[in-house]
């Protein structure tokens, strides 16, 4: 047995402690005489597939992760396309809705408004403080498209961190799922005896601000090497707290920046195919967003990079983007607007409110229609027909999660565009057969982006996550397709290659961090790209 000593600081003095040892194999007689590991992998997979409901599969995998994390992550890596939709979208949505009812054991850190003033003491109870490198933090106020789930939102933090481990090899014991319990405005949870959160309405803005300031300061003090991902805060708070903390701590918001980066990547590839079919330059694309919340505006902000990378100014890029919210086209003369919508509000339309999506499409004549509205079936057959009439290869991205909230299905998009649609969704859809060809839907899955971005931030010891680092993750993903994937018309690489993709993205993000001067790992600056990729691969935890 090798004894490993690790240094730590105590009262200003550096000391050594014995590193935690992995458990040894069970002693003779404590397991069956013939327990073949390779057969046991198949046994676990068979047990998983015996469940006839996805929520039951989720519960089984949660138990497996707790009892045998190596087996759990081995299954994830070897059967990525089968297991990802269970531990992430769409099944994680159901798991969050029922979180208080399917709860089995402690997993993660809960900090409630009742802890205000003593958050340091709560954080100190985390059992692996020295190991912590990444946390996903939610307040449960806007989980996917499902609304205010309160403390049930913990399921999303747990799911995201499982993907950090599977997708980028971040060590399981260095992750912290965190749920901030600031109350819930969903009455059915307040009335539910199984609900595990505090039974009060959400606190006001001023009280939340003071709580968040204390929480972030204490997290930084307790975990100086930690990166924090904000997840599923309400729209206004998502923008507010990203802006409030992004230059003080290494934080990013996956709904705003991660979604924007993964959509930009798919759009880069889709736009090239669309322009090749139409003969129009890349700078002529017009993008119509149906949905103007944090995700919609976050994606719109990121897609400005598509135009600036192709030579337009920021102002010219802004004018290629149109927003539609619950009241129709967003434009200045319409009246008062939420702060986050103002940047993309149109000043070149003065007419009456335009609320019908077909009328808006006729006015804008978009090459791309992106849905982030959580309105099921919003892209009707008439809408898809209209997009096909304008464009030889229309770009249609119904990005709302889970599947039941998507603006249209892949089957409908294929049928109403004559198989010419360039399609990516937020949740997975099955491939389609059309006129003897197999057509593959893209999935704008944030899992392509955030694992590599997080790993890079940890390895580079980035003091902040800059816009250039987020853009680098997007460009890295767009460049990650193989020749075979290009030949099949895919917009995103196959998810089964996630470790390889994450390593390449991490390399690109580390270089961006170095260029921005926010990295604190000087030894990585002298490595060649090949050496850096090899270093990243060595750092990935492997089950």
């Amino acid at each position: 047995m090798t004894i490993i000593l690790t240094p730590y600081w105590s009262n200003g003095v550096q000391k050594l402690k014995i590193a935690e040892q992995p458990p040894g194999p069970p002693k003779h007689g404590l397991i069956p005489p013939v327990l073949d590991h390779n057969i046991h992998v198949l046994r676990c997979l068979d047990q998983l597939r015996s469940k006839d409901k996805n929520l039951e599969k989720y519960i089984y995998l949660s138990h497996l992760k707790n009892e045998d994390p190596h087996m759990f992550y081995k299954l994830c890596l070897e059967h990525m396309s089968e297991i990802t939709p269970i531990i992430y979208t769409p099944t994680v949505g159901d798991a969050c809705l029922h979180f208080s009812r399917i709860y089995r054991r402690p997993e993660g850190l809960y900090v409630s408004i009742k802890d205000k003033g003593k958050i340091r003491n709560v954080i100190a109870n985390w059992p692996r403080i020295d190991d912590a490198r990444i946390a996903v933090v939610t307040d449960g106020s806007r989980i996917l498209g499902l609304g205010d789930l309160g403390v049930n939102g913990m399921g999303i933090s747990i799911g995201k961190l499982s993907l950090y481990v599977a997708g980028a090899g971040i060590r399981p014991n260095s992750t912290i799922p965190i749920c901030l319990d600031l109350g819930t405005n969903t009455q059915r949870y307040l009335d539910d005896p199984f609900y595990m959160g505090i039974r009060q309405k959400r606190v006001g803005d001023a009280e939340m601000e003071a709580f968040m300031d204390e929480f972030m300061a204490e997290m930084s003090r307790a975990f100086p090497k930690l990166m924090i991902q904000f997840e599923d805060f309400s729209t206004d708070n998502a923008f507010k707290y990203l802006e409030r903390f992004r230059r003080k701590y290494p934080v990013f918001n996956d709904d705003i920046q991660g979604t924007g980066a993964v959509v930009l990547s798919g759009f880069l590839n889709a736009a090239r195919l669309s322009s090749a079919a139409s003969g129009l330059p890349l700078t002529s694309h017009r993008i119509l967003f149906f949905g103007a919340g944090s995700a919609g505006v976050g994606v719109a902000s990121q897609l400005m990079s598509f135009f600036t990378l192709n030579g337009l100014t920021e102002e010219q890029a802004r004018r290629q983007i149109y927003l539609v919210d619950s009241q129709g086209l967003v434009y200045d003369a319409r009246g008062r607007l939420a702060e986050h919508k103002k940047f993309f509000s149109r000043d070149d339309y003065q007419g009456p409110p335009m609320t019908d999506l077909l009328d808006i499409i006729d006015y804008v004549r978009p090459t791309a229609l992106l849905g982030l509205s959580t309105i099921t079936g919003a892209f009707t057959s008439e809408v898809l027909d209209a997009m096909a009439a304008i464009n030889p290869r229309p770009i249609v991205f119904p990005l709302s999660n889970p599947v039941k909230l998507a603006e249209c299905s892949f089957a409908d998009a294929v049928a109403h565009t004559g198989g010419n649609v360039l399609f990516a969704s937020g949740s997975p859809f099955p491939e389609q057969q059309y006129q003897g060809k197999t057509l593959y839907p893209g999935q704008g899955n944030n899992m392509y982006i955030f694992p590599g971005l997080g790993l890079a931030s940890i390895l580079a010891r980035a003091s902040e996550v800059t816009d250039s680092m987020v853009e680098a993750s997007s460009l890295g993903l767009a460049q990650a397709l193989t020749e075979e994937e290009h030949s099949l018309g895919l917009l995103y690489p196959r998810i089964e290659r996630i470790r390889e993709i994450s390593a390449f993205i991490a390399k690109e993000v580390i270089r961006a961090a170095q260029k921005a001067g926010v990295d604190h790992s000087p030894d990585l600056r002298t490595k060649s790209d090949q050496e850096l990729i090899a270093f990243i691969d060595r750092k990935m935890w492997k089950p």
Side-chain angles (χ1 to χ4, degrees):
M1 177 176 173
T2 302
I3 302 296
I4 300 174
L5 300 177
T6 58
Y8 71 101
W9 289 92
S10 177
N11 297 321
V13 178
Q14 191 176 49
K15 301 179 180 180
L16 293 172
K17 67 176 180 180
I18 296 177
E20 184 180 346
Q21 298 294 317
K27 294 181 179 179
H28 182 71
L30 299 182
I31 57 173
V34 181
L35 182 61
D36 183 283
H37 177 73
N38 293 325
I39 297 298
H40 191 48
V41 173
L42 299 177
R43 180 181 293 112
C44 291
L45 190 62
D46 185 64
Q47 290 172 5
L48 172 67
R49 289 171 176 171
S50 72
K51 315 294 181 186
D52 60 355
K53 293 184 176 64
N54 281 341
L55 189 58
E56 290 298 324
K57 292 181 179 182
Y58 175 92
I59 293 169
Y60 170 78
L61 287 171
S62 296
H63 176 78
L64 183 64
K65 182 172 69 170
N66 182 70
E67 296 297 321
D68 190 350
H70 284 269
M71 179 63 73
F72 170 79
Y73 287 111
K74 185 174 179 63
L75 287 180
C76 285
L77 287 169
E78 291 182 359
H79 304 275
M80 187 69 69
S81 58
E82 178 179 353
I83 290 178
T84 297
I86 300 170
I87 62 175
Y88 190 41
T89 56
T91 307
V92 74
D94 281 340
C96 287
L97 286 170
H98 299 97
F99 189 79
S100 288
R101 291 179 174 265
I102 65 174
Y103 178 82
R104 302 289 176 91
R105 65 189 66 82
E107 188 174 3
L109 184 67
Y110 297 86
V111 187
S112 88
I113 192 65
K114 306 289 188 186
D115 299 317
K116 189 171 175 294
K118 50 182 186 292
I119 291 175
R120 179 186 302 190
N121 299 336
V122 178
I123 291 172
N125 291 330
W126 184 249
R128 298 181 296 277
I129 282 187
D130 293 338
D131 296 328
R133 293 295 180 273
I134 191 159
V136 173
V137 178
T138 186
D139 72 343
S141 57
R142 192 192 58 82
I143 297 297
L144 302 173
L146 304 171
D148 182 353
L149 304 191
V151 81
N152 293 330
M154 175 58 96
I156 205 77
S157 294
I158 292 169
K160 286 274 181 172
L161 286 168
S162 293
L163 296 183
Y164 269 111
V165 178
I170 290 171
R171 295 182 181 278
N173 61 359
S174 69
T175 66
I176 318 179
I178 299 179
C179 185
L180 307 178
D181 187 1
L182 305 174
T184 178
N185 293 332
T186 303
Q187 191 61 42
R188 73 175 181 276
Y189 291 133
L190 297 176
D191 296 337
D192 183 353
F194 286 119
Y195 180 63
M196 298 184 297
I198 57 175
R199 295 177 189 277
Q200 69 173 58
K201 297 288 187 181
R202 284 196 173 271
V203 300
D205 289 349
E207 196 174 353
M208 183 175 179
E209 269 186 32
F211 174 90
M212 290 297 295
D213 285 344
E214 181 187 350
F215 170 75
M216 291 299 293
E218 296 301 344
M219 288 291 287
S220 177
R221 188 194 310 268
F223 307 110
K225 298 178 180 178
L226 189 78
M227 177 188 165
I228 292 179
Q229 174 186 315
F230 288 143
E231 184 73 25
D232 286 353
F233 283 68
S234 64
T235 297
D236 290 343
N237 286 335
F239 283 101
K240 176 180 179 177
Y241 290 111
L242 176 62
E243 192 56 37
R244 191 177 185 88
F245 297 126
R246 64 179 305 190
R247 289 172 184 85
K248 286 181 70 176
Y249 311 108
V251 302
F252 87 106
N253 185 297
D254 190 49
D255 305 299
I256 296 171
Q257 296 163 291
T259 303
V262 79
V263 176
L264 171 59
S265 176
F267 189 83
L268 283 163
N269 291 325
R272 293 186 188 110
L273 294 171
S274 180
S275 286
S278 68
L280 297 173
L282 291 171
T283 52
S284 68
H285 280 283
R286 290 178 302 284
I287 309 172
L288 180 62
F289 282 87
F290 186 72
S294 61
V297 175
V299 173
S301 300
Q302 199 70 56
L303 282 188
M304 286 180 62
S305 297
F306 168 77
F307 295 105
T308 55
L309 287 167
N310 283 290
L312 296 189
T313 65
E314 184 175 296
E315 175 58 22
Q316 289 170 328
R318 184 178 71 88
R319 301 192 74 80
Q320 300 302 108
I321 293 170
Y322 298 75
L323 299 185
V324 177
D325 64 10
S326 59
Q327 298 175 57
L329 183 68
V330 176
Y331 64 102
D332 292 354
R334 197 180 79 178
R336 188 177 174 186
L337 292 170
E339 195 62 37
H340 67 278
K341 300 177 188 179
K342 290 181 180 177
F343 183 76
F344 290 105
S345 180
R346 308 297 301 188
D347 60 5
D348 53 358
Y349 178 74
Q350 305 293 327
M354 198 181 297
T355 58
D356 186 270
L357 183 55
L358 282 171
D359 292 338
I360 296 170
I361 288 173
D362 186 56
Y363 170 71
V364 175
R365 300 189 68 78
T367 57
L369 177 62
L370 276 64
L372 295 111
S373 67
T374 67
I375 298 176
T376 309
F379 296 169
T380 62
S381 55
E382 292 82 7
V383 166
L384 295 169
D385 289 341
M387 288 296 294
I390 298 168
N391 305 285
R393 296 213 68 186
I395 300 169
V396 179
F397 285 12
L399 297 168
S400 292
N401 288 317
V403 168
K404 65 182 180 182
L405 299 179
E407 287 78 8
C408 71
S409 68
F410 183 47
D412 285 345
V414 168
H416 289 278
T417 62
N420 291 317
V421 69
L422 294 161
F423 181 97
S425 56
S427 291
F429 281 98
E431 60 197 41
Q432 295 291 314
Q433 298 296 321
Y434 187 81
Q435 294 184 353
K437 284 181 63 179
T438 302
L439 302 180
Y440 300 92
Q443 187 188 352
N445 190 333
N446 291 21
M447 182 187 176
Y448 282 118
I449 292 290
F450 64 76
L453 179 59
L455 179 62
S457 300
I458 292 167
L459 295 179
R461 293 171 54 209
S463 56
E464 65 177 273
V465 180
T466 65
D467 288 339
S468 62
M469 290 165 68
V470 177
E471 184 178 283
S473 71
S474 183
L475 297 177
L477 176 58
Q479 295 162 15
L481 275 76
T482 64
E483 285 301 318
E484 183 209 0
E485 289 164 344
H486 277 298
S487 70
L488 293 172
L490 302 188
L491 303 184
Y492 293 100
R494 297 191 185 281
I495 201 72
E496 288 81 4
R497 295 199 299 114
I498 187 63
R499 285 280 178 107
E500 176 191 340
I501 295 161
S502 292
F504 182 74
I505 288 173
K507 184 262 290 183
E508 295 293 297
V509 173
I510 288 171
R511 293 299 190 220
Q514 292 167 348
K515 222 175 259 188
V518 298
D519 66 310
H520 291 83
S521 293
D523 53 312
L524 299 187
R525 297 172 196 160
T526 58
K527 292 184 184 296
S528 68
D529 283 356
Q530 193 172 1
E531 290 170 337
L532 186 54
I533 286 274
F535 170 81
I536 292 165
D537 185 66
R538 288 196 304 274
K539 286 293 184 180
M540 285 182 167
W541 177 82
K542 297 173 179 67

